[in-house]
Amino acid sequence: MAQDHPSLAIVVVDDESTDDTAAIVRRLAHKDRRVVLIPGGRLPPGWSGKVNACCAGARAVADAVDWLCFLDADMRAHPKLIASAVAAAQAGALDLLTLAPRQELQSFAERLILPCGLYLLSFSQNLTKLQAPDSDDAVATGQFMLIRRAAYEDVGGHAAVSRSIVEDIELARLMKRRGHRVLMQDGTALLTTRMYTGWRTLWPGIAKNLVSMLGGPAATLATVVAALALAWAAVLLPVVTVYGCASGGHSACIAAIPALLGAAAAFGLHLAGASYFGIPWTYGLLFPLGYTTGAVIALDSLRWRISGRVRWKGRVYR
């Protein structure tokens, strides 16, 4: 409601919430005529709730509107967000602009797991390759997606990815393969979020789509093994080599040099990350525990995939 964009309609989709969402939005709508509350509607068989809600929101927007912006409810936006995003999309002749928000981490679970997960994605994804115009793949986040209305309707909208749990990436891929320009950019200066509030929401939130994000079951297992090996090597190799050197082993003394340098790089990266996320520096020392817990979540995600069922926010998806 504080956006400085000159022409804005705000549609809030209430997808069977059980809290005070509807009452709060009605009070806001009474103060600001731009705000409209609509129900998510009946969930079609096989559809995910997020996709159904996005479709309902898109249908509620007037045909004359050129841009649709899908924004998750846990996002907090700077007043210049929408105007800046539209200007950037128009300047780049983009059909889909998706922005990665700044993560606010407050609980132990968030601070332990999310930085490690973001490092892992950073090292396992080649964004230059993924975002190249001639690539069939794409990267996106459904937390903020600004889409040109004509391009959205050309691909069939969210209904075209109705059965996907990772609907944001699938929609981005579909748009890109149909010749539309797609780009993800850093939105941390204008957009912040706290996605989870602790283990109870974080674990299922990550497990529901981790296998898909990492490229499938085989890639997930390979990533888990590599992450665990590298994380614990940063701790164990220096200890083993220094102990061997102290015991008089000449080769151990030589091996201790790269082991200590590698450990310093690993700990330096995670300490710098703790500073970037604004969390206590001690979390930068706990990264082996973070990757180990993340590996267990990944195995749980694999179990969900094998079982053919994903549970999320009170619903079960096949």
Side-chain angles (χ1 to χ4, degrees):
M1 291 168 64
Q3 294 299 303
D4 62 2
H5 190 276
S7 177
L8 191 68
I10 305 171
V11 178
V12 182
V13 184
D14 180 14
D15 185 20
E16 298 182 359
S17 63
T18 56
D19 56 14
D20 292 332
T21 292
I24 292 170
V25 176
R26 287 192 190 100
R27 287 199 297 270
L28 294 175
H30 183 70
K31 300 176 182 178
D32 191 329
R33 292 183 178 180
R34 296 176 303 170
V35 180
V36 176
L37 175 69
I38 66 169
R42 183 182 61 85
L43 185 63
W47 281 44
S48 73
K50 172 73 176 289
V51 166
N52 187 51
C54 287
C55 286
R59 286 194 300 268
V61 176
D63 293 338
V65 174
D66 294 328
W67 292 94
L68 299 174
C69 182
F70 297 91
L71 189 71
D72 278 3
D74 54 11
M75 299 293 110
R76 290 207 297 279
H78 187 279
K80 294 187 179 298
L81 172 67
I82 300 299
S84 299
V86 171
Q90 290 175 332
L94 301 176
D95 296 297
L96 167 58
L97 173 63
T98 176
L99 298 180
R102 182 172 185 84
Q103 303 289 334
E104 291 189 351
L105 312 177
Q106 298 184 28
S107 71
F108 174 77
E110 297 165 78
R111 293 174 173 181
L112 180 69
I113 300 298
L114 289 183
C116 293
L118 292 172
Y119 300 145
L120 201 61
L121 286 176
S122 298
F123 282 112
S124 62
Q125 292 181 334
N126 184 337
L127 289 183
T128 301
K129 181 179 179 180
L130 280 173
Q131 303 217 83
D134 58 351
S135 170
D136 285 338
D137 210 344
V139 62
T141 170
Q143 296 169 310
F144 180 98
M145 299 181 79
L146 178 69
I147 308 178
R148 195 181 298 272
R149 180 69 168 269
Y152 181 76
E153 294 179 348
D154 177 60
V155 300
H158 277 86
V161 292
S162 60
R163 296 180 180 273
S164 177
I165 296 297
V166 193
E167 84 295 327
D168 46 7
I169 295 178
E170 291 300 326
L171 181 59
R173 286 171 178 162
L174 178 61
M175 293 187 66
K176 197 171 181 181
R177 290 166 186 169
R178 290 287 290 270
H180 298 294
R181 297 198 63 185
V182 176
L183 183 66
M184 183 175 80
Q185 291 187 328
D186 176 17
T188 54
L190 298 172
L191 193 63
T192 61
T193 182
R194 186 185 180 194
M195 294 192 297
Y196 308 113
T197 57
W199 291 114
R200 190 172 183 179
T201 54
L202 181 146
W203 192 291
I206 295 178
K208 70 180 171 65
N209 56 13
L210 186 58
V211 172
S212 297
M213 292 180 66
L214 292 178
T220 298
L221 285 174
T223 303
V224 164
V225 171
L228 287 176
L230 290 170
W232 285 104
V235 177
L236 299 178
L237 282 181
V239 173
V240 171
T241 55
V242 169
Y243 177 80
C245 182
S247 300
H250 178 68
S251 59
C253 291
I254 297 175
I257 297 174
L260 288 169
L261 290 174
F267 277 94
L269 168 69
H270 292 85
L271 286 169
S275 175
Y276 172 79
F277 287 111
I279 61 178
W281 64 270
T282 48
Y283 283 94
L285 305 178
L286 297 177
F287 68 89
L289 179 60
Y291 287 111
T292 302
T293 309
V296 178
I297 296 176
L299 294 177
D300 200 27
S301 183
L302 279 170
R303 180 180 65 84
W304 285 17
R305 174 65 65 91
I306 293 171
S307 71
R309 294 174 181 270
V310 173
R311 298 180 182 274
W312 180 238
K313 293 192 174 181
R315 291 172 174 150
V316 178
Y317 303 109
R318 291 189 178 276

